[in-house]
Amino acid sequence: MNWKNVRTQEITIGGITFAYRELGKHNNGTPIVFLAHLAAVLDNWDPRIMDGIAAKHHVIAFDNRGIGASTGKPSNSIEQMADDATAFIKAKGFKKVDLLGFSMGGMVAQEIVLKEPELVRKMILAGTGPAGGEGISSVVGVTFYDMLRGFFTGQDAKQFLFFTRTTSGIEAGKAFLERLKERAEYRDQEIAVSAFIAQLQALRTWGHKEPADLSIVKQPVLVANGDADRMVPTGNTHDLARRLPNSTLIIYPDAGHGGIFQFHNTFVPSALEFLAR
């Protein structure tokens, strides 16, 4: 069983049905909950990362409320998404988890660890930054600009949003988008426009929020990004690593927001090594 053919399951919490997929249940140790990026559904996780980490760990990813196959009204706040993720983790019966948050998911992870520190063992935060971070509230403008670029060139906007415009960046983007198509059957539903707009509101608000005191986060955190992130400017990644007292920083060269996807061959071993420490 791997990410391209694992079945989608459902769990209902407080009247909301959350769609999720899990791999590596037979692996012992702390489960890893994946928290998704803006506009992402279950099919947006890179199969190489999911399969690579599931080789050693129990991994689980879910759709936020009102996203993909999950029911309910889409949330327009990062804090609400964190509460939903916490409810999901507890409903699955997990007493302690590791979190892997990419982009918006990394913001959700920060809210979870600040609200429920006893629930989190370790975190991996990629392509993300702290509340109030420089340029985070501008993600709306950057996203729409690149969606237009994609529309007018007949390409997926993620090619522009996640990857650099160098030869290696463009090739990495094409390879990533092909990997996302590997699941042929029982694919998730695409995000609705109203849900996408709600998430953009959440990001804008979080980008204007007062910075949290991350010095109280004692958990080990692996912080990663590309050196040329346009969505969440890479300076935020350095800032995040500085604010977290127990952090390890990885910056990938000639890479954008999707650095961990471009460098999945090195990111997966780094993540596994970090989780095993």
Side-chain angles (χ1 to χ4, degrees):
M1 188 63 63
N2 47 32
W3 192 248
K4 71 180 180 186
N5 55 24
V6 66
R7 72 187 182 93
T8 306
Q9 301 180 73
E10 291 182 344
I11 187 169
T12 302
I13 309 157
I16 306 289
T17 299
F18 291 92
Y20 71 95
R21 293 178 191 153
E22 58 187 329
L23 278 178
K25 271 185 85 169
H26 59 280
N27 290 316
N28 294 322
T30 310
I32 304 171
V33 177
F34 284 68
L35 302 165
H37 65 79
L38 170 72
V41 296
L42 291 168
D43 294 331
N44 289 110
W45 285 110
D46 191 330
R48 297 300 171 276
I49 289 177
M50 305 308 282
D51 292 340
I53 295 179
K56 298 280 176 79
H57 297 270
H58 177 190
V59 306
I60 184 162
F62 69 98
D63 281 332
N64 289 315
R65 70 164 69 205
I67 311 297
S70 292
T71 66
K73 185 171 185 255
S75 173
N76 64 354
S77 95
I78 300 294
E79 295 82 358
Q80 173 72 62
M81 293 177 206
D83 289 344
D84 282 346
T86 299
F88 175 83
I89 289 163
K90 290 178 176 177
K92 284 291 292 170
F94 302 144
K95 298 286 184 278
K96 198 169 279 285
V97 295
D98 294 331
L99 299 175
L100 190 155
F102 173 63
S103 190
M104 184 180 77
M107 301 166 193
V108 174
Q110 291 172 61
E111 292 291 340
I112 294 170
V113 79
L114 289 167
K115 284 185 178 183
E116 304 259 357
E118 70 293 337
L119 203 56
V120 181
R121 185 185 74 109
K122 291 185 176 184
M123 295 194 299
I124 299 173
L125 303 176
T128 196
E134 189 176 343
I136 292 175
S137 61
S138 307
V139 75
V140 179
V142 174
T143 301
F144 280 124
Y145 175 69
D146 281 354
M147 285 172 73
L148 283 172
R149 286 166 89 186
F151 177 75
F152 285 117
T153 58
Q155 297 179 72
D156 190 307
K158 286 189 280 293
Q159 182 75 62
F160 298 98
L161 287 165
F162 283 15
F163 300 92
T164 58
R165 302 308 294 156
T166 63
T167 304
S168 59
I170 291 166
E171 288 306 312
K174 288 177 181 172
F176 168 69
L177 292 168
E178 283 304 308
R179 293 197 298 276
L180 295 189
K181 296 175 189 168
E182 288 176 359
R183 186 182 183 92
E185 294 183 306
Y186 305 111
R187 288 182 66 86
D188 204 352
Q189 299 168 33
E190 291 290 317
I191 188 169
V193 172
S194 58
F196 179 55
I197 289 167
Q199 289 189 344
L200 287 172
Q201 286 174 339
L203 282 169
R204 180 184 280 153
T205 303
W206 209 78
H208 287 300
K209 188 175 169 175
E210 281 298 306
D213 177 13
L214 296 177
S215 69
I216 63 172
V217 178
K218 302 305 183 209
Q219 287 88 340
V221 186
L222 178 63
V223 183
N225 203 355
D227 64 357
D229 187 345
R230 293 179 61 249
M231 288 195 81
V232 182
T234 306
N236 287 288
T237 308
H238 291 279
D239 186 23
L240 189 58
R242 276 194 300 271
R243 293 187 193 204
L244 291 160
N246 194 1
S247 69
T248 305
L249 177 65
I250 300 175
I251 299 290
Y252 296 106
D254 183 21
H257 192 61
I260 64 168
F261 306 135
Q262 182 168 341
F263 285 88
H264 61 88
N265 283 331
T266 52
F267 170 72
V268 168
S270 296
L272 290 174
E273 187 274 326
F274 166 75
L275 293 166
R277 275 182 213 163

